[in-house]
Amino acid sequence: GKTFNEIETKVWRKFLYLNSENLFKYKQMKKVRLLISIISALVLLTEASAQILIPQDLDRLITDMKRGEGPRHTQKTYADFGGSPYLNANFVPGTIVRENGETYTNIPLRYNIYDDQIEFKHKEDLVLTIANPAEFTEINIDGAKYIYLQTSAGKGRTKGYFELLENGTVQLLKKHAVSMKEAEPAKPFKDPVPAAFVAKPATYFLLVEGEIFEIANDKSLLEALGNDEKLQLFIKEKKLKLRKEDDLKTVISYYNSL
C-alpha cells in the first residue's frame, strides 16, 4: 500500500493544479491542507481495512475442528529447497464448506501439492493443516475449487485433493503433482546441489457415479463415458484435442448437457 505522505502529496498536487489561482491565501491554504489530510487518512484506512481478514470465521473454523481430530500444526519449512511444493506459496483468502453446508469465509489458504495438504494461516503466522478433509465438501482458493476424494481407480486407490474443473453428472478433475529431486553432494570441480521440488504434468480424471477413471488417452475417456456416439461426433466436428485442458472441459461440459 501507499504511505500517508505519498497519498497526501498526490492529492495536494492535484488540488494545486486545479486551483492555483485561489490557493495563495494563507487562511484558505490551512483549511484546504487540513481537508486533504483527512481525505488521505481515510484513503489509507480504507486500503488497510481491505487487507485485514475477518477473524471470526477463522477462529470458528479452528474451534469446530477441535471437536474432531483438530487442525494439525505443520512445522515444515522449505527454505533450503529449490522450487516450490505449492501451487501458490502465498496465502490467499478462500472459502471452506463443511458437509452440513456450514461455510467459513476469508480463510487464508494455500495448497501444498507435494504433501497434498490444504494449509491455512492462523494468528502470528501459525501454519495449520486440515486433519479431517473428508468432512469438507469443497475448498475454494483463488478462483479454483478443490474436493477431497478417497476412491478406487484402476488397480489401486486414488485419494487426496483434486481441482474440480467441470461439475455435473460427470465431474472433470485435475490432480496436480510435484516431485522431490534429491540433493546432490559436492564432487570434484562441482558444487553441491540442494534438494528441489519439481512440478510434474497434471493428471486428469473423470468421476462417474462415484467411480473415478484416469484419462490416460482419448480411448480411456470415451470408454468411461460409454463410447457415446454423439460425443464422438462432437469431438470430431469441433476438432478437439483431449490432451488440452480447455478442450477436455469443453467435452465434459457438452456431455453433461446431453
Side-chain angles (χ1 to χ4, degrees):
K2 298 179 180 177
T3 64
F4 180 91
N5 288 336
E6 288 175 340
I7 294 175
E8 183 179 5
T9 300
K10 187 176 181 180
V11 176
W12 180 244
R13 285 176 177 172
K14 286 185 177 180
F15 196 96
L16 282 173
Y17 177 78
L18 295 172
N19 301 275
S20 57
E21 295 181 359
N22 302 317
L23 286 178
F24 293 99
K25 295 180 180 180
Y26 177 72
K27 291 183 179 181
Q28 290 180 334
M29 287 178 66
K30 286 187 66 176
K31 292 180 181 179
V32 171
R33 193 172 186 91
L34 176 61
L35 179 61
I36 290 174
S37 297
I38 294 173
I39 293 173
S40 301
L42 289 173
V43 170
L44 274 180
L45 182 62
T46 301
E47 286 187 354
S49 62
Q51 297 175 8
I52 298 174
L53 296 174
I54 300 173
Q56 288 85 351
D57 276 12
L58 180 57
D59 291 337
R60 184 164 58 88
L61 173 65
I62 292 174
T63 300
D64 291 348
M65 282 186 177
K66 287 179 179 178
R67 295 171 185 164
E69 292 184 50
R72 293 173 181 167
H73 178 210
T74 176
Q75 296 180 328
K76 293 183 179 180
T77 58
Y78 302 108
D80 297 329
F81 291 74
S84 174
Y86 301 103
L87 192 63
N88 178 357
N90 298 318
F91 287 94
V92 295
T95 303
I96 299 177
V97 181
R98 193 179 282 277
E99 284 181 312
N100 60 8
E102 189 170 6
T103 302
Y104 309 86
T105 60
N106 280 330
I107 307 299
L109 299 168
R110 68 182 179 187
Y111 177 32
N112 185 326
I113 303 173
Y114 183 73
D115 291 331
D116 203 14
Q117 295 278 0
I118 299 293
E119 300 178 351
F120 62 99
K121 186 168 62 173
H122 193 36
K123 299 172 183 176
E124 299 179 358
D125 292 335
L126 178 65
V127 178
L128 304 171
T129 62
I130 297 175
N132 46 350
E135 293 184 6
F136 301 91
T137 57
E138 66 180 65
I139 298 175
N140 298 280
I141 308 174
D142 201 22
K145 181 182 291 186
Y146 298 89
I147 61 175
Y148 183 84
L149 294 177
Q150 183 170 328
T151 184
S152 61
K155 297 180 180 179
R157 294 186 66 81
T158 298
K159 69 175 183 178
Y161 289 101
F162 295 79
E163 183 179 351
L164 180 60
L165 300 179
E166 286 291 331
N167 198 9
T169 305
V170 172
Q171 294 177 313
L172 176 61
L173 308 174
K174 179 179 183 178
K175 185 64 177 173
H176 296 276
V178 167
S179 64
M180 168 72 77
K181 185 179 180 180
E182 294 185 0
E184 298 178 12
K187 297 179 181 179
F189 308 107
K190 186 178 180 181
D191 293 332
V193 178
F197 294 103
V198 180
K200 298 174 63 179
T203 306
Y204 296 89
F205 294 85
L206 295 179
L207 186 63
V208 185
E209 297 180 350
E211 189 173 359
I212 193 167
F213 300 88
E214 181 178 346
I215 305 174
N217 47 45
D218 295 10
K219 181 180 178 182
S220 61
L221 180 142
L222 294 171
E223 287 180 349
L225 299 178
N227 290 310
D228 187 279
E229 292 183 1
K230 289 184 178 179
L231 183 62
Q232 294 182 56
L233 182 60
F234 175 78
I235 294 172
K236 184 177 181 180
E237 288 179 344
K238 299 294 183 181
K239 298 180 180 179
L240 299 174
K241 305 296 182 182
L242 302 186
R243 294 183 298 276
K244 297 181 179 180
E245 182 175 302
D246 286 344
D247 285 3
L248 269 177
K249 292 167 67 175
T250 299
V251 169
I252 302 307
S253 177
Y254 172 76
Y255 181 82
N256 284 332
S257 70
L258 294 176

